[in-house]
């Protein structure tokens, strides 16, 4: 009899929390965002909750700096410190395949995997904004197709680099060889986008290869995820969209001749927890009320790629172009269309939905109610776990850890102690052998 | 009355120590090179000795893996962890201007400066080997001149990025602005090598700008150092070559209209310390004897860019082409020519000289004898301090800290406690204002 299927949780850390007005609360940690000990404390909280990993997004351009914190510490350097403040939890960072070279990315991630003793994951992104390209010597971002083609080759080169040292290459024979040169090989990669001779400068990572995550919502994004990802950060506004995504991507994984059970799909999840549902709702309304509507309209404008600044707040959202006619990032736009279709919200109501997690699934209620919904998604083919996006840091993470996790543990849905030392181990993934297909 | 001039010390950490056979000793830490706690312990030892900083070299190609450890952990990620294991000592990493983009480098270094609370330095290098270029998409390394031209522009772009956030840009007004957008500005850099629009994603580093180090020995290298460096890692085999370099570079700094007193020149220094000079010499001979001559000849071949494998070990070194006719890295080659001219060594003797620190100054003796020589260099216009290159780790660092430092302290030449919290403070350098000339 195999062990019952278990939930997986990532803690997605961002600024003072994912709600756009989280930093405006009197008690927000806004003064601490440059202080690494703040992130170390969050990582320890998530580790106390036996989470699989903490996760950092990343971007290469500052965006609108006035409206709230976006980027501050660079995630790879922050994660090295967080690795030393924890001992079991995984640490996942976004690294863009559009701006790094595969050698830099593979080397840093391998080094971090050694520093953390096997707890590193890599969220592969292709980046979104021309402003990012213009910080790295380009005038505009390469096309969507070009970026995905580059990302696939980037991943292939990184995998080969991690495989360039055999596991037993370090001989450490004081009277003879340091390394057996026959067990460290060039990779000789030469493709459309990259030349990478290899080998890597870093011996094989403890996990063999850091764990690959992906978050694509577009068709090329889903295809890339199906081909390479071991964990997938999904965007699903409701159970139906979660099921659609889950089933579509699991099917694509099978088509790519991989075992769908070895790829974990984790939708983003925003939670407000209270002793009663009313209390949880009040918590949400309290931070919603801090949101400046002008700035929210400007942000909505970037999502729908038109000027929304004159939109009337208390009438239904005006008609938007269909997804097929939309040229920007597709995942969030599709969610906006779905919210509009399902709820016919006013503009103000839509802004409230988007302010925390941008249209990710939101659960508001008692620990039992939130656990009920998590269990429903888990048992209904919509999720293998969740990418928990605390709207308010540190409170929302702490309340998930201290109040929701115990309910799931009592139901036998989540571990009661770590049974592995590596991120791969937490996720139930095998350590890849050299040259293994993804 | 101004305070008396004080020595400065960097601890240059490399593998099991700078001696090529250090790892072959029975007690060497060769098994620990992938374990970050090894480097954390070394950083704490250097901090116990009140060193200004620890320093990591870096390379982008693995080289000959069989003969001994070269690279393992990537230095920026390792330094983030080391920053959290220490509280006062500076942390300097090499970052190549040939393979990174200025935005990546400036961002990581700024992030590390926040993580360490103002203790980061950047050793700017231009890289040396075609094998490194072939890991980053090029077929060969750009020419020496092109690399230096690129490095100068790279530094300019990084300085502008660090200046792109004013010191008081973070307003943190919960009812209004997170950041004052008027105090965060694009840099609009557009040059021969790079386009970087900026601003940086990271607020201004605690030090304003991380401290710039350089190690150029060639004329373009000296010029780059004179123009930008705040600390210079020199290669000087003996006092005369130390004085020549020191005086030449201080003159170039003045020609570049900078104050020569604000740029610290730190030659590399290999020390073997014993209770008697005979004991110190025995320590050196013991590790020299572990050196495999065949591998040393191969390494010599890379330095002089010819095949030395058939050279007879016990006859004088054969004639070598003059510096003017040499196309490889010039600093080490010049040192080799100087050793040959000064000492007419046999090939075996030359290998012994090069095995630890490759021709850097070597001092062997009692703590007082080593302190005497350090003081002589310091008072004779050859050094403002030293880049200490422990031949054997951790012993050589510990013996320098525990036996040489106290002698220098008694002589009033070195601090007896830290009087600053930042690397800039330890080095006696001002915090740069926005837009300040270097």
């Amino acid at each position: 009899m195999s062990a019952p299927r278990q939930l997986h949780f990532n803690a997605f850390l961002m600024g003072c929390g994912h709600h756009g007005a989280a930093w405006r609360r009197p008690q927000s940690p806004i003064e601490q965002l440059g202080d690494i000990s703040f992130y170390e404390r969050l990582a320890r909280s998530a580790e106390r909750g036996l989470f699989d990993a903490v996760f950092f997004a990343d971007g290469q351009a500052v965006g609108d700096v006035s409206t709230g914190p976006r980027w501050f510490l660079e995630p790879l350097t922050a994660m090295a410190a967080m690795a030393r403040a924890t001992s079991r939890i995984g640490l996942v960072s976004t690294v863009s395949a559009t701006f790094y070279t595969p050698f830099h990315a593979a080397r840093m991630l391998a080094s971090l995997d050694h520093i953390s003793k096997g707890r590193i994951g890599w969220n592969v992104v292709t980046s979104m904004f021309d402003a990012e390209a213009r910080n790295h010597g380009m005038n505009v971002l390469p096309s969507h197709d070009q970026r995905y083609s580059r990302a696939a080759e980037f991943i292939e080169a990184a995998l080969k680099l991690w495989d360039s040292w055999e596991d037993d290459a370090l001989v450490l024979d004081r009277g003879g060889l340091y390394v057996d040169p026959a067990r460290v090989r060039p990779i000789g990669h030469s493709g459309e986008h990259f030349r990478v001779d290899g080998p890597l400068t870093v011996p094989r990572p403890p996990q063999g290869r850091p764990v690959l995550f992906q978050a694509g919502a577009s068709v090329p994004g889903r295809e890339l995820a199906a081909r390479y990802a071991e964990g997938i950060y999904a965007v699903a506004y409701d159970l139906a969209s979660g099921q659609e995504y889950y089933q579509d991507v699991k099917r694509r994984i099978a088509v790519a001749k991989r075992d769908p059970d070895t790829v974990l799909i984790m939708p983003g999840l925003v939670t407000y927890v209270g002793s009663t549902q009313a209390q949880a709702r009040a918590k949400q309304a309290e931070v919603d009320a801090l949101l400046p509507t002008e700035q929210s309209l400007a942000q909505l404008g970037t999502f729908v790629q038109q000027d929304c600044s004159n939109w009337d707040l208390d009438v239904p959202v005006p008609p938007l172009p269909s997804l097929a006619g939309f040229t920007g990032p597709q995942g969030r736009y599709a969610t906006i269309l779905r919210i509009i279709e399902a709820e016919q919200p006013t503009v103000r109501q839509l802004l409230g939905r988007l302010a925390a997690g941008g249209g990710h699934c939101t659960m508001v209620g008692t620990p039992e109610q939130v656990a009920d919904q998590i269990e429903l998604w888990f048992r209904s083919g919509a999720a293998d776990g969740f990418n928990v996006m605390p709207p308010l840091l540190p409170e929302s993470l702490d309340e998930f850890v201290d109040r929701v996790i115990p309910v799931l543990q009592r139901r036998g849905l989540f571990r009661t102690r770590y049974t592995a030392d590596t991120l791969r181990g937490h996720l139930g993934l095998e350590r890849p052998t050299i040259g293994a297909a993804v």
Side-chain angles (χ1 to χ4, degrees), chain A residues 105-333:
Chain A
R107 189 164 82 114
M108 293 226 167
L109 292 162
S111 180
L112 283 165
D113 208 47
H114 283 285
I115 289 171
S116 66
K117 304 196 194 306
R119 297 187 283 135
I120 296 300
W122 169 25
N123 179 42
V124 188
V125 302
T126 60
S127 300
M128 283 194 196
F129 301 107
D130 287 339
E132 299 178 271
R134 289 193 294 262
N135 281 332
H136 290 283
M138 309 170 194
N139 295 319
V140 294
L141 212 56
S143 72
H144 196 264
D145 284 355
Q146 274 292 303
R147 297 204 307 281
Y148 275 91
S149 147
R150 183 183 152 113
E153 190 185 327
F154 193 107
I155 294 169
E156 295 281 358
L159 296 176
K160 289 186 215 169
L161 285 168
W162 291 326
D163 287 358
S164 64
W165 288 63
E166 290 186 16
D167 287 311
D168 55 359
L170 284 165
V171 177
L172 309 185
D173 172 8
R174 288 173 168 77
L177 296 173
Y178 167 62
V179 161
D180 178 352
R183 297 185 219 168
V184 179
R185 277 181 286 266
I187 67 167
H189 177 88
S190 180
E192 185 190 340
H193 301 278
F194 305 107
R195 171 182 184 165
V196 192
D197 280 15
L200 200 59
T201 51
V202 182
R204 195 153 201 255
Q207 293 184 105
R209 303 167 181 169
V211 183
L212 258 62
F213 290 81
Q214 236 271 308
S218 67
V219 170
R222 292 179 188 209
E223 281 295 307
L224 191 75
R227 199 160 143 207
Y228 296 108
E230 299 170 291
I232 297 176
Y233 297 135
V235 180
Y237 165 72
D238 55 16
L239 182 64
S241 61
Q243 288 170 321
E244 182 281 321
Y245 185 89
Y246 188 96
Q247 284 156 31
D248 178 71
V249 172
K250 292 271 178 172
R251 184 188 56 75
R252 290 177 194 268
I253 293 164
V255 169
K257 305 212 185 311
R258 300 173 65 208
D259 178 357
D261 289 344
T262 65
V263 182
L264 304 173
I265 297 182
M266 289 179 274
L269 172 59
V270 176
T271 56
Y272 297 89
V273 179
S275 297
T276 63
Q277 190 168 45
Q279 195 192 66
R281 284 197 175 133
K283 215 177 264 190
Q284 180 182 24
E286 187 183 7
V287 63
D288 279 351
L290 297 174
L291 205 67
T293 49
E294 194 175 320
Q295 290 169 12
S296 306
L297 285 171
Q299 189 192 41
L300 179 61
T302 68
F303 296 158
V304 302
Q305 304 216 334
Q306 55 177 286
D307 180 8
C308 307
S309 57
N310 294 319
W311 285 12
D312 193 338
L313 287 167
D314 295 307
V315 302
V317 178
L320 292 174
S322 72
L323 193 59
F326 186 73
T327 56
Q330 306 221 318
R332 179 134 38 193
Y333 192 71

Side-chain angles (χ1 to χ4, degrees), chain A residues 50 404-417:
Chain A
L50 305 175
V404 180
I405 290 283
V407 178
L408 297 167
Q409 287 171 327
R410 283 197 296 273
R411 296 183 188 180
L413 294 171
F414 191 62
R415 65 174 70 91
T416 53
R417 60 180 181 86

Side-chain angles (χ1 to χ4, degrees), chain A residues 11-68:
Chain A
F12 180 178
L13 305 179
M14 181 84 113
C16 295
H18 284 270
H19 194 294
W23 72 276
R24 298 185 182 278
R25 295 171 309 133
Q27 73 277 35
S28 85
I30 189 67
E31 288 82 6
Q32 300 171 48
L33 295 191
D35 184 347
I36 186 66
S37 64
F38 172 64
Y39 304 93
E40 291 170 345
R41 281 198 303 275
L42 294 176
R44 281 194 289 257
S45 295
E47 189 170 67
R48 177 165 50 85
L50 305 175
F51 274 46
D52 296 73
V54 293
F55 163 56
F56 274 109
D58 191 29
Q60 303 282 328
V62 77
D64 180 353
V65 291
S66 63
T67 54

